[in-house]
Amino acid sequence: MKEFQLIEQFFRDKGQQRRDVHLGIGDDCALVQPAENTSIAISCDTLVENVHFLPTMPAYELGYKSVAVNLSDLAAMGADPAWMTLALTLPDVDNEWLAQFSQGLFEAAEYYSVSLIGGDTTRGPRCINITIHGQVPTGKALTRSGAKVGDWVYVTGTLGDSALGLDILLGKKEVAHQHKEFLINRHYHPTPRILAGQALRSLATSAIDLSDGLFSDIQHVLKASNVGAIIDVNELPLSESLQASLSPNEATSYALTGGEDYELMFTVPESQRGALDIALIHAGVKFIKVGQICAGEKLRLVADGKPFELEKNSFEHF
């Protein structure tokens, strides 16, 4: 099968067909019409076999996750998902793999109202690169640079599940049968917090999605905002499956450094805490306060009022 046949069979005119796409797959460029008074949020993410995913990962799950991890970046900016392009590198043409991959990709795209508007295919080691575009009202985008001393630090969902799911797949950890499926699914099937990001536009002073682990990602916010933070590790949100499968110290380590949770970490001033409760409850997202922004430029971890020493580093891309 040649490149254009592959695109025609698996990707052209599939999935969400948005009215603001004037010209999609099939020309040298796509043409889209942004809404008035909006800024375009653009993010790019690459998934490389044996670096970001295992060769044994089901194609359907890989397709879904490829979209979801990019959507998480839009969520961190408070953006509305809109369009995406796909650059797909494959060692060979496997029709069954492509059918499953495209099914997962379009399921995520349709759920979040994203149109595939272009891309490229080529031969080589398996690699998926998606560039995603969203729209956010002008002046309302969330960034990493707005955290202020006194702001409270929150996270959505639970932390550490995806990393434990990966270690189960790698054979590094064994867990009880009743927890195994949940943890692996959290690794394969992250939930981008789009509604939470949208709800936070007028409430949060900063935000970031947790792709490399809370311990690593929060420091990007601290550096951009020129502040420090105190995080109480006893307040970290842990799932029942994580707690049942690990010792307390291991669970804390996974929650801080595991990576690939794709939850949101955000900061909110005291004056907005009441509005936050209402906004995120309406968005159907669980969230919890885990610390506070302070003066200085360092991250301090505490447990029971005492300094907490971290034994494990966060995920690194290189």
Side-chain angles (χ1 to χ4, degrees):
M1 182 182 294
K2 294 185 178 180
E3 178 183 12
F4 296 113
Q5 293 173 311
L6 185 158
I7 293 170
E8 191 75 25
Q9 180 172 342
F10 296 105
F11 299 106
R12 185 172 183 175
D13 298 327
K14 302 292 194 300
Q16 181 72 220
Q17 303 298 310
R18 293 175 59 99
R19 291 184 179 181
D20 54 15
V21 178
H22 293 184
L23 185 62
I25 295 174
D27 221 299
D28 291 304
C29 293
L31 299 176
V32 298
Q33 181 62 55
E36 292 185 8
N37 301 316
T38 61
S39 297
I40 305 300
I42 304 172
S43 182
C44 177
D45 216 278
T46 300
L47 299 179
V48 180
E49 189 172 84
N50 287 315
V51 177
H52 302 98
F53 63 92
L54 300 174
T56 54
M57 185 172 183
Y60 170 86
E61 302 291 2
L62 180 58
Y64 189 99
K65 187 171 183 177
S66 297
V67 179
V69 300
N70 280 272
L71 286 165
S72 185
D73 286 328
L74 293 186
M77 303 290 289
D80 304 324
W83 320 290
M84 68 178 182
T85 59
L86 167 67
L88 184 61
T89 304
L90 300 171
D92 51 48
V93 176
D94 182 331
N95 283 7
E96 183 177 351
W97 187 94
L98 279 163
Q100 291 296 311
F101 174 84
S102 61
Q103 182 182 350
L105 180 137
F106 284 118
E107 180 173 317
E110 286 194 58
Y111 186 85
Y112 293 99
S113 192
V114 177
S115 287
L116 179 65
I117 59 173
D120 189 30
T121 58
T122 190
R123 186 179 300 276
R126 199 183 311 273
C127 176
I128 299 98
N129 180 283
I130 287 179
T131 299
I132 201 155
H133 305 72
Q135 303 178 88
V136 61
T138 302
K140 293 293 185 179
L142 301 170
T143 69
R144 302 176 180 183
S145 61
K148 302 291 191 298
V149 174
D151 287 352
W152 297 101
V153 180
Y154 289 84
V155 294
T156 62
T158 57
L159 306 181
D161 301 319
S162 175
L164 182 53
L166 175 59
D167 280 350
I168 293 169
L169 291 168
L170 291 171
K172 294 181 179 180
K173 288 288 184 182
E174 293 186 6
V175 305
H177 178 74
Q178 65 266 32
H179 301 299
K180 185 175 181 179
E181 182 178 354
F182 168 82
L183 293 165
I184 290 176
N185 189 61
R186 286 277 285 161
H187 177 68
Y188 280 162
H189 215 84
T191 303
R193 301 300 186 180
I194 296 295
L195 289 179
Q198 293 167 348
L200 291 170
R201 285 173 185 161
S202 299
L203 301 174
T205 54
S206 69
I208 190 171
D209 80 316
L210 300 179
S211 56
D212 298 336
L214 176 61
F215 180 78
S216 176
D217 287 323
I218 190 176
Q219 298 196 58
H220 298 309
V221 172
L222 303 186
K223 182 177 180 180
S225 300
N226 295 312
V227 293
I230 300 173
I231 298 297
D232 186 345
V233 300
N234 292 331
E235 298 298 323
L236 297 176
L238 309 177
S239 68
E240 291 183 10
S241 293
L242 190 82
Q243 294 181 78
S245 305
L246 301 172
S247 69
N249 281 345
E250 280 185 308
T252 298
S253 179
Y254 271 82
L256 285 170
T257 67
E260 294 199 86
D261 290 309
Y262 298 106
E263 297 291 347
L264 295 184
M265 188 226 82
F266 56 95
T267 57
V268 173
E270 176 67 28
S271 61
Q272 296 287 8
R273 288 183 66 188
L276 173 68
D277 290 339
I278 296 171
L280 289 197
I281 287 174
H282 286 170
V285 179
K286 294 182 178 179
F287 63 101
I288 191 169
K289 176 168 64 68
V290 297
Q292 191 169 27
I293 298 298
C294 61
E297 296 182 357
K298 292 185 178 180
L299 172 63
R300 288 181 283 163
L301 305 177
V302 299
D304 301 318
K306 300 177 182 178
F308 178 85
E309 295 296 329
L310 186 63
E311 298 179 357
K312 177 183 175 183
N313 291 325
S314 296
F315 174 79
E316 295 287 347
H317 291 276
F318 293 97

